[in-house]
Amino acid sequence: MKDSRRRWLAMAGVGALAAAAGYGVHLWWADGQADVPNAAAVEALLTAPLKDLEGGSKAIESWRGKVLVINFWATWCVPCRKEIPEFVKMQESHGVRGLQFVGIAFDQPQPVRDFARELGINYPLLMGGLDTMALMRESGNKAGVLPFTLVLDRKGKVARTHRGVLTEAALEGIVRALL
Amino acid sequence: MRLILVLLFGVACIAHGAEADLLEPDKAFRFSARLKDARSIEVTYDIAPGYYLYRQQFKFSAAPAEAKLGPPQLPPGKMKKDEFFGEVETYRGNLTILVPLEVAEPKPSVVTLAAVSQGCADAGVCYVPHEQKARLQLAAGGTATGAPPEPFPAPERARAGADDARFASVFAEGFWVTIAKFFGAGLILAFTPCVLPMVPILSGVIVGGGGHVTKMRGFLLAALYVLGMALTYAVAGVAAGLSGAMLAAALQNPWVLGAFAAVFVALALAMFGLYELQLPVALQSSLANASNRMRGGQAAGVFAMGVLSALIVGPCVAAPLAGALLYISLSRDVVLGGSALFAMALGMGVPLLAVGASAGALVPRAGPWMETVKRFFGVLLLGLAIYIVSPLVPTAVHMGAWAVLLIVTAVFMRAIDPLPPNTHAFDRFSKGIGVIALVVGIAFAIGALSGGRDFLQPLAGLRAGAGFPQAGETPFQRVGSIAELEGRIATAGKPVMLDFYADWCVSCKEMERFTFTDERVRQRLGALVLLQADVTANSPEHIALLKRFRLFGPPGIVFFDAAGREIEGLRVIGFQPAHKFAAVLDEVLRFQRTASQ
């Protein structure tokens, strides 16, 4: 009896050690491999003229000096649409403190206009093209997934990148330190 | 005890966690295209589990302008309710789309298809519209034939089923699919000659330790052995992959091989009962007092044997190993690469676990049966020792050694003793096998003495006087550095085959002996410039050459077209039999024809 218990203990120990080692390797690796945004690409993204929904052209840098939340999305992307109502709410509540959302859609202008009206989007929406897509990939999103959100501080430096849906609570935590 | 395995798989899972699981779009939506007939292109998407594509979002275009596409025939998808768009149709799993094709005069020889697709992952992200390209070859004369699909828009590349590329591409799938495939590969490898000899070693260690062997204990020891083997693979694979070192070279140098052969001979002699394998008496008596500690000692020994065994199996696992190493060094995804190698070794260990678990049943413990089984294992071990040193010795010595082993075995099987009239059927059978061994052994003996060099035709040297051609010699030009190689390729004017070779490389010798000598292969080789890099010395130039081609050491064969570009996807890693190699050469020549059109 005693013998088999010792055996189990030994095995559990080996397992725990292996798990710890594996996790360590993972951390070390994930660290070295992170999808790091390229500063030059982010700068190019800020200065590139993009079409707005009225047919004019505007660059994101017009909002420089604010805490910028740049959200890449599309109407056909179901998860993207989930987070937008929360963005609208936060723009409403934090706008005066210098928080500025900018949406960049990879889409046709018409569905974007319809969607913006339906949800009452209260922040500027710009249309992304192929070159915008390339810059987005270089800005910390190599796989090119949507939604992708880039949070910049008031100096225009990347504070956080996030692939996938961002909850209000998470975003709140990120921008609180920057405002 | 089975929990160990579950646990270790679990570890790999933990280590692989979280966001990293999002696949690159090319891997989430694996694209390929081929010409179905002269007037339609068949496009297929292999969609990873948990991912889907939108039916409405496909766009196809073709270049050059002579190729016109009709409306694609999209199969009905699965309806999905969307609160904004209403109903949308999506595809999961395998998707095949037919795209009509019309080619106007002048007919181009190559049509490039560009496909844009849009899809999402259940994990809660979508991908931006993604373009993938395929290069389709139209046959001359108007009728079209399918060409291998080309996933990247690189017109100078071809794709075929090279072993390392195939194994490397396995990684493109999900984590568990990859693990499962490598486990399966391991199961298959378990039945190659390299792994089978481990059965007697293992059962020798388990039974030979003496004492009472329960099924549980047998299984535990076997599991330890397999774990030792698997961990060695994972660790060595990752280390080698990261450093790009010549793993095979390290494992196959003459001293290591010689030492293993010696170990096997020693084990074999023990099997024949020449002596008992056991611990020194002093140690044994001190251990006898604490039986628990002796168990521990044996367990450690078994584990260590497993570690050593991993090294022996090297030659058998060249292709999957090279694939995994290639993947690790390119992607630097150590966790997946290491886990895959670990899973492969576990697969190889399954039969060994069965042997261990059946400690009482498969390996009889007493009686004359046991003696027979032990002797059989002894012969196997000696055979393995010969096999291991075969790359180091001249063919004649190799053949002679087999002759000695076979003939002596035959004599012990009473091949030349008369059988008494009322002999048991088993003894008659045994004598039959013995006679066969005797005949083959004598053939080898004559072959070795008469200069035969082919194990399949040991007596060929005796045939019709001196008519036997120097079949073993293939007219290679030697290259020793990258500069030399580039010079040779630039002046070749023909497609080039570069063969990496080393004296210690078993599969290189097999290629020379069995494949390059084949008539079909020789004919095709005539159309190529043959270069060989002998990297036995492993000088800095040699290492640079290997690195240049992302190889970890020989064996490796790389092809170039007449313009000096590597024809990727056609690499041959490891031994390939003549008919397969001839098919690869056909592919090279076909590629050259279309490239020069």
Side-chain angles (χ1 to χ4, degrees):
Chain A
M1 272 293 93
K2 203 179 156 205
D3 199 38
S4 83
R5 203 169 66 205
R6 191 179 297 171
R7 197 183 295 157
W8 276 108
L9 269 175
M11 267 187 321
V14 168
L17 257 172
Y23 189 64
V25 166
H26 170 66
L27 283 185
W28 168 65
W29 210 250
D31 202 37
Q33 276 224 316
D35 217 344
V36 183
N38 173 336
V42 174
E43 190 53 34
L45 193 65
L46 292 181
T47 51
L50 301 174
K51 283 214 169 62
D52 63 21
L53 294 177
E54 285 75 46
S57 149
K58 207 154 200 183
I60 308 174
E61 64 175 348
S62 355
W63 295 281
R64 222 192 260 270
K66 299 191 172 197
V67 174
L68 271 177
V69 180
I70 305 170
N71 174 233
F72 296 86
W73 70 291
T75 59
W76 48 264
C77 161
V78 180
C80 301
R81 299 191 325 235
K82 280 207 189 100
E83 57 182 359
I84 288 183
E86 304 194 340
F87 291 172
V88 170
K89 235 165 56 187
M90 280 183 77
Q91 179 65 62
E92 179 74 36
S93 57
H94 291 50
V96 282
R97 291 161 61 197
L99 181 66
Q100 183 62 55
F101 283 83
V102 179
I104 298 183
F106 296 112
D107 212 324
Q108 302 296 319
Q110 196 49 53
V112 173
R113 257 179 240 130
D114 294 348
F115 186 73
R117 195 175 315 121
E118 198 176 312
L119 266 87
I121 296 184
N122 54 355
Y123 54 83
L125 294 177
L126 302 172
M127 302 302 296
L130 282 176
D131 38 354
T132 324
M133 226 178 262
L135 290 174
M136 175 191 75
R137 284 178 194 272
E138 285 300 300
S139 305
N141 184 11
K142 291 229 159 53
V145 301
L146 298 179
F148 173 66
T149 304
L150 204 54
V151 182
L152 306 187
D153 66 12
R154 291 183 192 268
K155 293 195 187 92
K157 251 188 66 196
V158 178
R160 189 64 158 277
T161 63
H162 185 87
R163 307 191 300 171
V165 175
L166 204 48
T167 61
E168 191 177 347
L171 188 55
E172 183 77 53
I174 297 168
V175 298
R176 188 181 302 136
L178 302 172
L179 284 174
Chain B
M1 298 310 120
R2 253 146 287 193
L3 206 82
I4 288 188
L5 305 185
V6 177
L7 233 158
L8 279 157
F9 267 122
V11 170
C13 186
I14 291 167
H16 193 68
E19 206 198 21
D21 286 344
L22 269 184
L23 294 177
E24 295 283 320
D26 271 326
K27 293 171 182 171
F29 312 109
R30 289 163 70 81
F31 165 81
S32 62
R34 65 179 190 99
L35 280 175
K36 188 167 185 254
D37 50 54
R39 316 210 34 194
S40 61
I41 301 171
E42 187 182 78
V43 175
T44 53
Y45 285 93
D46 182 3
I47 305 169
Y51 293 76
Y52 58 92
L53 284 173
Y54 288 111
R55 182 174 191 253
Q56 301 307 326
Q57 306 289 346
F58 288 99
K59 286 188 201 76
F60 296 98
S61 58
E66 284 80 21
K68 293 219 164 36
L69 301 178
Q73 298 170 21
L74 296 154
K78 223 181 129 197
M79 288 294 179
K80 206 175 162 181
K81 200 132 182 69
D82 185 294
E83 59 264 34
F84 186 62
F85 290 109
E87 299 260 285
V88 292
E89 274 182 80
T90 58
Y91 296 116
R92 286 171 188 271
N94 285 317
L95 167 64
T96 305
I97 300 169
L98 278 187
V99 185
L101 170 71
E102 199 77 56
V103 185
E105 298 292 341
K107 282 191 172 18
S109 64
V110 171
V111 170
T112 306
L113 174 77
V116 176
S117 60
Q118 228 166 290
C120 302
D122 293 335
V125 298
C126 291
Y127 291 85
V128 297
H130 183 57
E131 186 182 68
Q132 290 159 302
K133 286 187 178 177
R135 185 173 168 279
L136 304 160
Q137 262 164 357
L138 305 182
T143 50
T145 57
E150 169 55 68
F152 303 105
E156 69 269 27
R157 293 167 81 190
R159 199 139 272 277
D163 283 348
D164 68 326
R166 194 162 61 228
F167 274 102
S169 73
V170 165
F171 284 100
E173 285 136 319
F175 181 78
W176 291 109
V177 179
T178 305
I179 296 294
K181 284 198 173 171
F182 267 79
F183 185 78
L187 269 180
I188 295 167
L189 287 170
F191 297 98
T192 56
C194 299
V195 178
L196 285 182
M198 287 192 194
V199 174
I201 300 175
L202 177 64
S203 46
V205 173
I206 292 174
V207 181
H212 180 58
V213 181
T214 62
K215 287 191 178 176
M216 190 56 146
R217 183 165 156 69
F219 184 84
L220 180 64
L221 287 174
L224 271 171
Y225 182 85
V226 171
L227 270 182
M229 185 170 84
L231 282 176
T232 309
Y233 266 111
V235 171
V238 167
L242 286 182
S243 64
M246 286 172 69
L247 177 76
L251 298 190
Q252 296 196 340
N253 87 46
W255 293 105
V256 175
L257 292 182
F260 272 108
V263 168
F264 287 138
V265 171
L267 280 171
L269 295 181
M271 289 289 176
F272 293 135
L274 258 67
Y275 52 83
E276 285 288 314
L277 261 190
Q278 48 184 262
L279 294 165
V281 181
L283 198 59
Q284 210 175 28
S285 59
S286 74
L287 284 176
N289 301 328
S291 63
N292 278 347
R293 269 166 58 207
M294 190 171 103
R295 284 190 176 191
Q298 195 186 355
V302 171
F303 187 84
M305 269 318 277
V307 170
L308 294 179
S309 312
L311 310 179
I312 311 165
V313 198
C316 287
V317 295
L321 202 58
L325 295 185
L326 187 67
Y327 177 82
I328 294 172
S329 70
L330 289 185
S331 74
R332 309 196 77 83
D333 186 345
V334 165
V335 175
L336 179 53
S339 310
L341 284 174
F342 187 79
M344 182 185 79
L346 287 184
M348 293 197 304
V350 166
L352 301 179
L353 292 181
V355 168
S358 67
L362 280 188
V363 185
R365 244 170 297 152
W369 248 105
M370 174 63 172
E371 289 310 304
T372 313
V373 169
K374 276 173 87 173
R375 283 198 203 109
F376 172 73
F377 286 158
V379 171
L380 265 186
L381 284 168
L382 285 179
L384 185 70
I386 297 176
Y387 174 79
I388 284 182
V389 297
S390 62
L392 308 175
V393 299
T395 313
V397 175
H398 184 194
M399 210 179 252
W402 276 111
V404 171
L405 179 61
L406 284 168
I407 292 170
V408 172
T409 306
V411 170
F412 272 95
M413 288 174 93
R414 307 193 359 221
I416 40 184
D417 298 350
L419 289 179
N422 54 348
T423 310
H424 192 270
F426 176 77
D427 288 332
R428 293 184 186 277
F429 180 74
S430 159
K431 174 163 176 162
I433 301 288
V435 170
I436 293 171
L438 185 66
V439 170
V440 176
I442 290 172
F444 279 170
I446 297 172
L449 296 174
S450 64
R453 52 177 83 217
D454 186 345
F455 275 84
L456 300 178
Q457 302 180 332
L459 303 181
L462 302 176
R463 205 186 289 154
F468 189 58
Q470 290 281 318
E473 296 300 315
T474 311
F476 280 111
Q477 303 171 41
R478 290 287 169 119
V479 289
S481 68
I482 291 180
E484 206 179 332
L485 172 71
E486 280 173 351
R488 287 281 168 76
I489 290 177
T491 56
K494 289 201 273 183
V496 174
M497 172 175 125
L498 170 64
D499 175 38
F500 281 93
Y501 171 91
D503 285 344
W504 47 259
C505 164
V506 185
S507 15
C508 304
K509 301 231 160 166
E510 287 174 338
M511 282 300 274
E512 283 202 333
R513 209 166 284 160
F514 302 122
T515 304
F516 295 160
T517 53
D518 184 273
E519 197 44 46
R520 290 165 295 176
V521 172
R522 286 158 70 93
Q523 270 173 11
R524 290 168 174 85
L525 284 180
L528 301 173
V529 171
L530 306 178
L531 302 180
Q532 190 170 57
D534 181 349
V535 295
T536 309
N538 201 12
S539 69
E541 280 92 14
H542 295 158
I543 293 170
L545 254 179
L546 286 164
K547 273 232 161 105
R548 158 87 184 261
F549 295 101
R550 305 191 315 251
L551 285 171
F552 299 96
I557 297 177
V558 184
F559 296 96
F560 304 87
D561 67 7
R565 294 169 301 204
E566 182 185 348
I567 308 175
E568 288 196 39
L570 285 181
R571 287 184 177 194
V572 175
I573 307 282
F575 176 76
Q576 218 172 42
H579 67 276
K580 270 176 87 179
F581 189 67
V584 171
L585 292 176
D586 277 341
E587 201 72 39
V588 171
L589 298 172
R590 190 179 323 137
F591 184 81
Q592 181 58 40
R593 274 199 303 278
T594 52
S596 54
Q597 263 169 16

